């Protein structure tokens, strides 16, 4: 897949110095998600003892695109990486299973797996939608062994971003219309309602009526990740409650996340509970950091080093 390719990726060769192990996450509510563990064979032993949990973005998964490239990159730099699926992975949003407010259970399962493997220092690293997921998780759970949060291409609010995009392209149905329909259809309890169904939004990502510019959701998945009451998806409401060092690595030429969003989130975090906040922009990078893997990995690795412990 083009999204999995970096400029010099050679499949079968980029993992020679890395042990790759496919695993399964078992959640408290009976779900089972794929994960892959990257364990470096070389590099500083202190880095090996720090585990980085990588969480995918929208309609992504644990082993393609940026999670794959960052996983191999950080493992190549000597860090242990666990890249995970969640209930939001792949097409969960299309078929009703992607309830974003339940993703803390998925990250719980990832941390439980790492603890069984002996890791005592863990960093959460989320990409795009995954940034909101890891920020919400740490603010909510605050586990003692999570010593940092790193976010990549972090949007300040998933609901706000989608609403703004739909308004810009003249989406049909509109954000207000979907909100009204979701409220009526899912009442009185959106999570337990059996009245869910798939719907299509035209001109959601562009100005044409072609399928490429459409989005597919179910009312439940939309409500819990992009709806007006999805506070867990609005990082402006969560990042001030993060209690560990946090770093935001933003893309300099991001067409999905605006240039003021990272600084706004960093300002809120500095006024909140985080003991240290870093904001770094990767110049020239698009939303998925195409062709900027080295710069991104080097920046994240440099930030991780003080967190490895002794």
């Amino acid at each position: 897949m083009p999204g999995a390719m970096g400029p010099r990726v050679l499949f079968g060769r980029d993992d020679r110095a890395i042990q790759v192990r496919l695993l399964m996450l078992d959640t408290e509510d009976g779900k089972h998600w794929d994960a892959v563990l990257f364990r470096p064979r070389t590099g500083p032993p202190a880095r090996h003892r720090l585990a980085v949990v990588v969480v995918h973005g929208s309609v992504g998964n644990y082993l393609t695109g940026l999670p794959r490239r960052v996983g191999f990159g950080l493992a190549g730099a000597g860090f242990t990486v666990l890249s995970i699926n969640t209930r939001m992975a792949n097409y969960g949003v299309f078929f009703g299973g992607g309830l974003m407010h339940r993703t803390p259970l998925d990250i719980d399962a990832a941390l439980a797996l790492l603890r069984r493997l002996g890791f005592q220092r863990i960093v959460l690293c989320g990409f795009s939608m995954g940034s909101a997921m890891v920020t919400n998780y740490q603010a909510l759970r605050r586990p003692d062994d999570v010593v940092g949060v790193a976010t990549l291409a972090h949007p300040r609010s998933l609901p706000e971003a989608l609403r703004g995009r739909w308004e810009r392209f003249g989406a049909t149905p509109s954000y207000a219309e979907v909100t009204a329909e979701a409220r009526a259809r899912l009442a009185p309890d959106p999570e337990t309602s059996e009245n869910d169904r798939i719907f299509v939004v035209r001109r959601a990502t562009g100005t044409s009526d072609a399928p490429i510019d459409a989005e597919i959701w179910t009312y439940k998945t939309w409500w819990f990740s992009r709806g007006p009451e999805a506070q867990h998806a609005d990082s402006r409401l969560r990042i001030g409650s993060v209690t560990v060092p946090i770093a935001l690595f933003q893309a300099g030429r991001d067409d999905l996340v605006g240039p003021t969003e990272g600084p706004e989130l960093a300002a809120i975090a500095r006024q909140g509970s985080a003991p240290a906040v870093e904001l770094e922009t990767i110049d020239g990078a698009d939303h998925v950091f195409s062709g900027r893997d080295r710069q991104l990995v080097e920046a994240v690795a440099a930030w991780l080093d003080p967190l490895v412990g002794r």
Side-chain angles (χ1 to χ4, degrees), residues 49-51 108 110-116 118-124 137-138 141-148 244 307:
R49 294 191 292 270
L50 183 71
D108 281 343
L111 298 187
L113 186 152
L114 288 172
R115 289 166 188 145
R116 291 195 298 271
F119 290 94
Q120 298 177 356
R121 298 181 69 81
I122 301 168
V123 169
L124 303 178
Y137 182 87
Q138 202 286 325
R141 294 282 204 263
R142 301 182 178 183
D144 291 340
D145 48 2
V146 171
V147 297
V244 295
L307 301 178

Coordinates of all heavy atoms in Angstrom, one line a residue, residues 49-51 108 110-116 118-124 137-138 141-148 244 307:
R49 N 14.4 -1.0 27.4 CA 13.5 -1.1 28.5 C 12.3 -0.2 28.5 O 11.4 -0.3 29.3 CB 14.3 -1.0 29.8 CG 15.3 -2.1 30.0 CD 15.9 -2.0 31.4 NE 16.7 -0.9 31.6 CZ 18.0 -0.8 31.4 NH1 18.7 -1.8 30.9 NH2 18.7 0.3 31.7
L50 N 12.3 0.8 27.6 CA 11.2 1.7 27.5 C 10.3 1.2 26.4 O 10.7 1.0 25.3 CB 11.6 3.1 27.2 CG 10.5 4.2 27.1 CD1 9.9 4.5 28.5 CD2 11.0 5.5 26.4
A51 N 9.0 1.0 26.7 CA 8.0 0.5 25.7 C 7.2 1.7 25.2 O 6.6 2.4 26.0 CB 7.2 -0.6 26.3
D108 N -6.0 -0.2 27.9 CA -5.8 -1.1 29.1 C -5.2 -2.4 28.8 O -4.3 -2.9 29.4 CB -7.1 -1.3 29.8 CG -7.6 -0.1 30.6 OD1 -6.8 0.8 31.0 OD2 -8.9 -0.1 31.0
A110 N -3.5 -3.3 26.1 CA -2.1 -3.1 25.7 C -1.1 -3.0 26.8 O 0.0 -3.6 26.9 CB -2.0 -1.9 24.7
L111 N -1.5 -2.2 27.8 CA -0.6 -2.0 29.0 C -0.5 -3.3 29.8 O 0.6 -3.6 30.3 CB -1.1 -0.8 29.9 CG -1.2 0.5 29.2 CD1 -1.6 1.6 30.3 CD2 0.1 0.9 28.5
A112 N -1.6 -4.0 29.9 CA -1.6 -5.3 30.6 C -0.6 -6.2 30.0 O 0.1 -7.0 30.6 CB -3.0 -5.8 30.7
L113 N -0.6 -6.3 28.6 CA 0.3 -7.2 27.9 C 1.7 -6.8 28.2 O 2.6 -7.6 28.5 CB 0.0 -7.1 26.4 CG 0.7 -8.0 25.5 CD1 -0.1 -8.3 24.3 CD2 2.1 -7.5 25.0
L114 N 2.0 -5.5 28.1 CA 3.4 -5.0 28.3 C 3.9 -5.3 29.8 O 5.0 -5.7 30.0 CB 3.6 -3.5 28.0 CG 3.5 -3.2 26.6 CD1 3.4 -1.7 26.4 CD2 4.7 -3.7 25.8
R115 N 3.0 -5.2 30.7 CA 3.3 -5.5 32.1 C 3.7 -7.0 32.3 O 4.6 -7.3 33.0 CB 2.2 -5.1 33.0 CG 2.0 -3.6 33.2 CD 0.7 -3.2 33.8 NE 0.5 -1.8 33.8 CZ -0.7 -1.2 33.6 NH1 -1.8 -2.0 33.5 NH2 -0.8 0.1 33.6
R116 N 2.9 -7.8 31.6 CA 3.2 -9.3 31.6 C 4.6 -9.6 31.0 O 5.2 -10.5 31.4 CB 2.1 -10.1 30.9 CG 0.8 -10.1 31.6 CD -0.1 -11.1 31.1 NE -0.5 -11.0 29.7 CZ -1.5 -10.3 29.2 NH1 -2.3 -9.6 30.0 NH2 -1.7 -10.2 27.9
G118 N 7.1 -7.6 31.4 CA 8.1 -7.1 32.3 C 8.4 -5.6 32.2 O 9.3 -5.1 32.8
F119 N 7.6 -4.9 31.3 CA 7.9 -3.5 31.1 C 7.3 -2.6 32.3 O 6.2 -2.8 32.7 CB 7.4 -3.0 29.8 CG 8.2 -3.5 28.6 CD1 7.8 -4.7 28.0 CD2 9.4 -2.9 28.2 CE1 8.5 -5.2 26.9 CE2 10.1 -3.5 27.2 CZ 9.7 -4.6 26.5
Q120 N 8.2 -1.7 32.8 CA 7.7 -0.9 33.9 C 7.7 0.6 33.5 O 7.2 1.4 34.4 CB 8.7 -1.1 35.1 CG 8.7 -2.5 35.6 CD 9.8 -2.7 36.7 OE1 10.5 -1.8 37.1 NE2 9.8 -3.9 37.3
R121 N 8.1 1.0 32.4 CA 8.1 2.3 31.9 C 7.5 2.3 30.5 O 8.1 1.7 29.6 CB 9.5 3.0 31.9 CG 10.0 3.1 33.3 CD 11.4 3.8 33.4 NE 11.3 5.2 33.1 CZ 11.0 6.1 33.9 NH1 10.7 5.8 35.2 NH2 10.9 7.4 33.6
I122 N 6.4 3.1 30.3 CA 5.7 3.0 29.0 C 5.3 4.4 28.6 O 5.0 5.3 29.4 CB 4.4 2.2 29.2 CG1 4.7 0.7 29.7 CG2 3.6 2.2 27.9 CD1 3.5 0.0 30.1
V123 N 5.4 4.7 27.3 CA 5.0 5.9 26.7 C 3.9 5.6 25.7 O 4.0 4.7 24.9 CB 6.2 6.6 26.0 CG1 5.7 7.8 25.2 CG2 7.2 7.1 27.0
L124 N 2.9 6.5 25.7 CA 1.8 6.3 24.8 C 2.0 7.3 23.6 O 2.3 8.5 23.8 CB 0.4 6.7 25.4 CG 0.0 5.9 26.6 CD1 -1.3 6.4 27.2 CD2 0.0 4.4 26.3
Y137 N -6.9 9.0 27.3 CA -6.6 7.8 28.2 C -5.7 8.2 29.4 O -6.1 7.9 30.5 CB -5.8 6.7 27.4 CG -5.5 5.5 28.3 CD1 -6.5 4.5 28.4 CD2 -4.3 5.4 29.0 CE1 -6.2 3.4 29.2 CE2 -4.1 4.3 29.8 CZ -5.0 3.3 29.9 OH -4.8 2.3 30.7
Q138 N -4.7 9.0 29.1 CA -3.8 9.3 30.3 C -4.5 10.3 31.2 O -4.4 10.1 32.5 CB -2.5 10.0 29.8 CG -1.3 9.9 30.8 CD -1.5 10.8 32.0 OE1 -2.0 11.9 31.8 NE2 -1.0 10.4 33.1
R141 N -7.1 7.7 33.1 CA -6.6 6.6 33.9 C -5.4 6.9 34.7 O -5.3 6.4 35.9 CB -6.2 5.4 32.9 CG -7.4 4.8 32.1 CD -8.2 3.9 33.0 NE -8.8 2.9 32.2 CZ -10.1 2.9 31.9 NH1 -10.8 4.0 32.2 NH2 -10.7 2.0 31.1
R142 N -4.5 7.7 34.2 CA -3.3 8.1 35.0 C -2.5 6.9 35.6 O -2.2 6.9 36.8 CB -3.6 9.1 36.0 CG -4.2 10.4 35.5 CD -4.5 11.4 36.6 NE -5.1 12.6 36.0 CZ -5.3 13.7 36.7 NH1 -5.1 13.7 38.0 NH2 -5.9 14.8 36.1
P143 N -2.2 5.9 34.8 CA -1.4 4.7 35.4 C 0.0 5.1 35.7 O 0.6 5.9 35.0 CB -1.5 3.7 34.2 CG -1.7 4.5 33.0 CD -2.5 5.7 33.4
D144 N 0.5 4.5 36.8 CA 1.8 4.9 37.3 C 2.9 4.6 36.3 O 4.0 5.3 36.3 CB 2.1 4.2 38.6 CG 1.2 4.7 39.8 OD1 0.7 5.9 39.6 OD2 1.1 4.0 40.8
D145 N 2.8 3.5 35.5 CA 3.9 3.1 34.6 C 3.9 3.8 33.3 O 4.8 3.6 32.5 CB 3.9 1.6 34.4 CG 2.5 1.0 34.1 OD1 1.6 1.8 34.0 OD2 2.4 -0.2 34.0
V146 N 2.9 4.7 33.0 CA 2.9 5.5 31.8 C 3.6 6.8 32.2 O 3.1 7.6 33.0 CB 1.5 5.8 31.3 CG1 1.5 6.8 30.2 CG2 0.8 4.5 30.8
V147 N 4.8 7.0 31.6 CA 5.7 8.1 32.0 C 5.7 9.2 31.0 O 6.4 10.2 31.2 CB 7.1 7.5 32.2 CG1 7.1 6.5 33.4 CG2 7.7 6.9 30.9
G148 N 5.0 9.1 29.9 CA 5.0 10.2 28.9 C 3.9 9.9 27.8 O 3.4 8.8 27.6
V244 N 1.7 13.7 32.9 CA 3.0 13.3 32.6 C 3.6 14.2 31.5 O 2.8 15.0 30.9 CB 3.1 11.8 32.1 CG1 2.6 10.9 33.2 CG2 2.2 11.6 30.9
L307 N 13.2 9.9 29.3 CA 12.2 9.1 30.0 C 12.5 7.6 30.2 O 11.8 6.8 30.8 CB 10.9 9.1 29.2 CG 10.3 10.5 28.9 CD1 9.1 10.4 28.1 CD2 10.0 11.2 30.3

